[in-house]
Amino acid sequence: DAGVIQSPRHEVTEMGQEVTLRCKPISGHNSLFWYRQTMMRGLELLIYFNNNVPIDDSGMPEDRFSAKMPNASFSTLKIQPSEPRDSAVYFCASSFHGGNTEAFFGQGTRLTVV
Amino acid sequence: DAKTTQPPSMDCAEGRAANLPCNHSTISGNEYVYWYRQIHSQGPQYIIHGLKNNETNEMASLIITEDRKSSTLILPHATLRDTAVYYCIVRVDNYGQNFVFGPGTRLSVLP
């Protein structure tokens, strides 16, 4: 398996533009996590899906952020409109819920909003 | 909030064992201890996890105290490539539980 795949790896956009980050989890995994990492706040969980259903979105900063998981092999995190304070590295992770299992992380998307 | 306490930084000489401590004094009976590391600009990498018994794999060993209030991650022969931030996480593997990351320990392996 190629692991968790995120795209793009880097994104630079202007303030006010819409940004879509993509994630392909490991095949067979049924839990998916979106995290954001900044120097100031470290790694923060944004949202967590189980069997394609959002379970906990309490970490989503505000209505400008939305996440979807239309099927077991794809998820998106959208920011509209983007702001400079959204600049961060966004990580996607997946795991198999059903045992004491670990989560595997993608390589992240580095977002810069100018 | 993270349920663990770790020293912010540690140094280790290359080739020596690196022992990274973690306090989790409020751990519940059904919570596991997980360790991850993050090498600069990469995604966090799973290392090992355990409930109450000591665990060993090809990367590291995990020693959990009998009262489970603390644990130690051991890298037996640290190399320069082990320089990273190491995170200790306690988690119940139940529906709706996620991985909460604290600030971790920045390990520097010195030549």
Side-chain angles (χ1 to χ4, degrees):
Chain A
D1 199 310
V4 176
I5 300 173
Q6 292 186 245
S7 64
R9 290 295 310 276
H10 302 273
E11 176 80 32
V12 180
T13 190
E14 291 185 348
M15 183 174 63
Q17 296 298 306
E18 176 180 298
V19 175
T20 299
L21 311 182
R22 296 172 176 81
C23 176
K24 176 178 168 52
I26 292 173
S27 177
H29 282 185
N30 56 2
S31 293
L32 184 138
F33 309 83
W34 281 101
Y35 285 84
R36 177 172 68 176
Q37 186 170 35
T38 61
M39 289 290 292
M40 292 295 294
R41 299 175 67 90
L43 268 165
E44 304 173 278
L45 178 74
L46 300 178
I47 189 168
Y48 160 45
F49 291 87
N50 197 63
N51 293 323
N52 313 336
V53 176
I55 302 302
D56 181 1
D57 64 354
S58 60
M60 295 287 264
E62 49 198 271
D63 292 345
R64 297 185 298 106
F65 285 69
S66 63
K68 294 182 180 179
M69 191 163 187
N71 56 60
S73 59
F74 184 66
S75 177
T76 59
L77 178 67
K78 184 178 293 187
I79 308 172
Q80 165 63 15
S82 58
E83 296 182 3
R85 61 190 168 124
D86 302 330
S87 297
V89 181
Y90 291 80
F91 289 104
C92 176
S94 72
S95 72
F96 177 72
H97 172 73
N100 54 332
T101 56
E102 63 271 30
F104 295 88
F105 282 75
Q107 289 302 297
T109 295
R110 181 174 295 277
L111 173 65
T112 303
V113 183
V114 298
Chain B
D1 292 333
K3 301 177 184 178
T4 62
T5 304
Q6 300 177 251
S9 63
M10 292 182 62
D11 292 339
C12 176
E14 186 178 19
R16 304 298 293 269
N19 297 285
L20 294 97
C22 179
N23 285 322
H24 31 79
S25 58
T26 60
I27 193 170
S28 301
N30 58 350
E31 286 185 313
Y32 288 77
V33 180
Y34 285 77
W35 282 84
Y36 279 78
R37 73 179 182 184
Q38 188 174 25
I39 297 170
H40 180 63
S41 77
Q42 297 182 18
Q45 176 190 24
Y46 166 79
I47 301 173
I48 198 167
H49 72 284
L51 182 61
K52 54 183 177 181
N53 297 323
N54 297 337
E55 301 287 344
T56 296
N57 63 21
E58 65 279 4
M59 290 182 67
S61 294
L62 173 61
I63 308 298
I64 303 174
T65 58
E66 192 169 342
D67 63 7
R68 304 208 325 120
K69 293 184 184 300
S70 66
S71 60
T72 301
L73 179 74
I74 301 172
L75 308 179
H77 305 286
T79 70
L80 299 179
R81 286 178 292 183
D82 292 322
T83 292
V85 178
Y86 287 76
Y87 299 98
C88 171
I89 300 165
V90 295
R91 174 182 181 260
V92 176
D93 190 60
N94 276 343
Y95 189 78
Q97 294 291 321
N98 62 73
F99 293 85
V100 178
F101 288 80
T105 295
R106 183 172 297 277
L107 175 69
S108 298
V109 180
L110 307 175

